[in-house]
Structures are given as C-alpha cells and as structure tokens.
Amino acid sequence: MADVLYTGPIPAERGAELTMGGGRSETSALTGTGGGRGTATTQNSQRPNACCFCWCCCCSCSWNEEERQRWRRRKKIPDTKMETIPNCEACTKPSLEEIRLWSQSFDKLMRNPAGRNVFREFLRTEYSEENMLFWLACEDLKQEMNKSAIEEKARSIYEDYISILSPKEVSLDARVREVINRKMQDPTPHTFEDAQLQIYTLMHRDSYPRFLASNIYKALVHGGSRTPSESYS
C-alpha cells in the first residue's frame, strides 16, 4: 500500500501527473508531527447509530435502509460510494420559517445545525460530502485546546482530506496546500483556516445554488419535516 509519509523521489509518471494537477506537494507535510500512521485513516468505521434528535431527511435514522434504497431508485438518485458516514449533528426540528431562511444566504444555512444536516444529505447525492465533513472537522479543531490533541486532529484532517492519496481529498489550490504543509510542522487550531475558507467558498458558489433548486430542499419548504419517501410519493 502507498505510504502517506513517503518522502523519496516521485516516479516520472506520477510526477508528470502531479505537475498537470497544479504542482501539489505533500511529501514533507507530515514529517515530524508524530509518526507511526503510514496510511490515510478512515474515521468512524462503523455506520452511525440512530441519533435521538434527528428529524430531517438527511439521517439514516429517519427511515430504514430498505425504504431509503427504494426511494433513491424511484428518484434515480445514485447511492453514495462512501460506506462510513459519521453521525449527523444533533439538532431540534426547525420551523418552516427557519427552513425558508436558508434560501436567503449560505451563511444562514451553515449556521444552523439542521440546515447543515440537510445540506450534507444533498452533497452526498453529488458525491461531495467530503467538503462538509472537512469543514466540520476544521470547526472541531478550532475548539481544541490540548496541544497533543491538536496535533492528532490536525494529522487526521491532513490524511483524510488534504493528502492526494486519500479518496476523500478536497479540492484546494497549490498555494493553500503549500501553506498547510508549512503549518503542519507545528499544527495549531487554525492550521487549515485558509483551506476551510476555500472549501466554504466552493460550496457556496457551486453546491448551494443547486441545493436550493433540489427536491430535497423543496420538499422541506413545501412539506415541512416530511421524509423523502412521504414527499415524493
């Protein structure tokens, strides 16, 4: 298996591939930040348990998996390839007024836990849920005070979302990657601040308009908290 910590020469074909992709480099980012983990880690290897506060259509606890699959086949929505989806955020049921406020600005959507859950479900249908997962991981890192925990969480974020070897790699430009590589030598709660802003902007510009036009959001606006199986029957 490929090693995230590999710092040797890059084969010619791989080097050309990286050059065409914008010159991304990560060969030294993880050196000295606490070794021992040679491959990208996958968090939450088990499917989530039903969370007691779930209400919306985004969570696996909203209806059983068989019904979920029937609904996806009926609506011709492809199943996500990700088999490990972390638990959704605990949230209270939003009012119809709150749901409608999500269309006024992306910031209002992202400030609301229920809004983030529904938006995550939409991103999952577009195979881009990793953008939200990365953003949430960065928010979690910002709350950490313990230095060893900061280093461990920063390392996990790097391996899960920044490494070019990760299947959940997010799309970042070369400048931001270079900044991260430097900051990873001494991680802080704000190591991924530039990257988080870039992904936030990407979701705002590309995914948010499609979310507002999606059946997932329209069902909530017109039907309150009904599940997709109820809304689209």
Side-chain angles (χ1 to χ4, degrees):
M1 297 293 293
D3 194 329
V4 170
L5 301 182
Y6 175 74
T7 59
I10 300 175
E13 293 182 3
R14 183 58 174 160
E17 181 180 319
L18 292 181
T19 301
M20 294 176 62
R24 298 178 302 181
S25 173
E26 63 175 86
T27 55
S28 61
L30 298 181
T31 304
T33 58
R37 295 173 61 190
T39 57
T41 57
T42 301
Q43 296 176 325
N44 300 302
S45 59
Q46 301 297 323
R47 290 194 65 83
N49 296 322
C51 49
C52 57
F53 295 103
C54 288
W55 61 271
C56 61
C57 62
C58 68
C59 304
S60 60
C61 54
S62 297
W63 68 93
N64 62 45
E65 187 65 22
E66 183 178 351
E67 183 178 358
R68 181 187 180 92
Q69 297 299 332
R70 283 202 303 269
W71 175 75
R72 286 184 177 275
R73 286 194 295 269
R74 186 162 64 250
K75 300 310 296 179
K76 295 182 171 58
I77 293 177
D79 293 320
T80 177
K81 297 300 182 183
M82 294 182 184
E83 296 179 356
T84 55
I85 298 173
N87 289 327
C88 63
E89 297 178 74
C91 61
T92 57
K93 177 181 176 181
S95 65
L96 187 58
E97 181 181 359
E98 284 182 287
I99 293 172
R100 288 174 174 165
L101 284 176
W102 299 344
S103 66
Q104 292 185 4
S105 74
F106 186 59
D107 184 62
K108 289 181 179 179
L109 172 70
M110 291 292 284
R111 286 179 180 273
N112 188 292
R116 291 194 296 268
N117 282 338
V118 178
F119 187 53
R120 239 178 91 181
E121 170 68 6
F122 171 74
L123 293 178
R124 195 176 303 160
T125 68
E126 293 203 332
Y127 301 97
S128 58
E129 186 187 16
E130 65 274 5
N131 290 333
M132 177 64 82
L133 295 179
F134 170 68
W135 188 88
L136 290 171
C138 291
E139 288 295 290
D140 179 62
L141 178 63
K142 288 178 181 179
Q143 307 304 314
E144 189 58 64
M145 302 295 292
N146 181 274
K147 183 172 177 59
S148 61
I150 289 172
E151 291 178 352
E152 179 63 22
K153 287 185 177 182
R155 186 181 184 83
S156 294
I157 291 173
Y158 189 97
E159 293 177 350
D160 285 344
Y161 304 109
I162 308 301
S163 171
I164 61 175
L165 302 177
S166 173
K168 295 186 293 183
E169 175 195 8
V170 295
S171 179
L172 300 171
D173 62 37
R175 180 193 65 81
V176 170
R177 286 181 176 277
E178 289 175 3
V179 170
I180 293 174
N181 287 344
R182 288 197 302 269
K183 289 183 175 181
M184 281 299 293
Q185 304 305 316
D186 185 21
T188 72
H190 303 284
T191 292
F192 302 99
E193 204 164 50
D194 290 345
Q196 185 185 21
L197 176 60
Q198 190 166 103
I199 294 303
Y200 183 94
T201 303
L202 177 66
M203 291 191 292
H204 184 189
R205 184 185 67 242
D206 292 348
S207 302
Y208 178 59
R210 292 195 297 274
F211 166 73
L212 296 180
S214 70
N215 287 336
I216 289 176
Y217 181 64
K218 288 180 179 178
L220 293 174
V221 170
H222 297 299
S225 61
R226 289 185 296 174
T227 63
S229 59
E230 295 171 330
S231 301
Y232 304 141
S233 57

